[in-house]
Amino acid sequence: MQTPGPYDPLTPRQELISECEGLGLDADAPKDWRDAFSDDELRSAIVRLSKQEA
């Protein structure tokens, strides 16, 4: 399998991580949240952070 290049589309997990980063999850999450959080936890964080922004 070929390694993804810089212009390849993001995987679904990378999309979740990117959205969390954009919403500022880094500020209140453990240092290893990108590896430790499940996809469901990332989705929950997105919902929570989106509500805080509103």
Side-chain angles (χ1 to χ4, degrees), residues 5-25:
Y7 301 107
D8 289 341
L10 296 176
T11 65
R13 179 160 179 86
Q14 289 171 324
E15 290 281 355
L16 290 171
I17 290 170
S18 177
E19 189 164 353
C20 285
E21 289 170 341
L23 291 169
L25 184 60

Side-chain angles (χ1 to χ4, degrees), residues 8-51:
D8 289 341
L10 296 176
T11 65
R13 179 160 179 86
Q14 289 171 324
E15 290 281 355
L16 290 171
I17 290 170
S18 177
E19 189 164 353
C20 285
E21 289 170 341
L23 291 169
L25 184 60
D26 296 65
D28 65 350
K31 195 174 199 175
D32 66 343
W33 68 267
R34 291 170 186 83
D35 296 321
F37 285 14
S38 69
D39 288 2
D40 286 338
E41 289 172 314
L42 293 174
R43 286 184 196 94
S44 294
I46 290 168
V47 170
R48 177 178 54 85
L49 292 168
S50 295
K51 287 180 182 176

